[in-house]
Amino acid sequence: MIRPATPADLPAIHALIRELAEYERALEEAKATEEQLHEALFGPRPATYAHVATDSTDSVIGYAIWFLNFSTWRGVHGIYLEDLYVRPTARGGGHGKALLTELARICVERGYQRLEWSVLNWNTPAIDFYEALGARPQNEWTVYRLTDEALVEASGT
């Protein structure tokens, strides 16, 4: 079952985020707390959203965290999928596809024209999964990021 996340899901989502970070070989970079997730998802002005996949006992076994982006060329919003993760023991059960299907449904229902995300170049199981759904890589773009000291330095403060 796929449903919007609730505050009660935050411990499970936080644990899954840490599992994903470990899988992506970057556990030391996963510093988000449950309190930060609560503020981002359920605070007074949330700008981030989450859906969860549950098993037959209603245990959270996967999640998608997303937010709106905007295309100046198309003039409409889209969804940027920050994380999609399904616990390894639950893979193959259609949960990842169901999470993506729900986000695609939200896009179509709301008139959004893009559903985008990033995937690590070495993560061939994920790449194969996404391409089987019809997603195509956007090879002409390179993602850039400012963080930590470089972000502070760029801010001029």
Side-chain angles (χ1 to χ4, degrees):
M1 181 174 135
I2 306 301
R3 61 173 171 75
T6 68
D9 297 321
L10 288 175
I13 292 170
H14 186 254
L16 290 170
I17 288 170
R18 296 199 48 83
E19 282 184 29
L20 173 60
E22 186 171 21
Y23 174 76
E24 291 184 349
R25 306 171 190 156
L27 183 57
E28 68 284 351
E29 295 178 40
K31 298 179 185 195
T33 65
E34 284 184 42
E35 293 77 22
Q36 289 172 313
L37 293 172
H38 187 277
E39 182 68 20
L41 295 167
F42 305 107
R45 295 188 331 186
T48 306
Y49 309 93
H51 281 75
V52 294
T54 60
D55 64 12
S56 60
T57 67
D58 202 35
S59 296
V60 175
I61 55 171
Y63 74 97
I65 293 183
W66 56 278
F67 54 88
L68 296 182
N69 59 14
F70 184 79
S71 170
T72 56
W73 289 13
R74 293 191 174 218
V76 296
H77 285 291
I79 287 178
Y80 186 85
L81 175 60
E82 179 64 24
D83 280 357
L84 174 70
Y85 182 74
V86 174
R87 189 162 269 150
T89 56
R91 291 187 187 152
H95 307 292
K97 182 178 181 181
L99 284 164
L100 278 174
T101 297
E102 177 62 9
L103 296 185
R105 187 196 63 74
I106 291 169
C107 283
V108 170
E109 176 183 274
R110 297 181 186 177
Y112 304 159
Q113 295 185 9
R114 290 182 178 169
L115 173 55
E116 297 179 315
W117 61 91
S118 297
V119 61
L120 290 166
N121 292 333
W122 58 260
N123 193 348
T124 53
I127 291 168
D128 293 345
F129 168 70
Y130 297 140
E131 289 184 353
L133 293 174
R136 295 295 170 251
Q138 302 299 297
N139 295 327
E140 66 273 12
W141 295 91
T142 300
V143 175
Y144 281 82
R145 179 178 294 154
L146 282 171
T147 61
D148 304 324
E149 296 82 27
L151 179 62
V152 174
E153 188 174 319
S155 75
T157 58

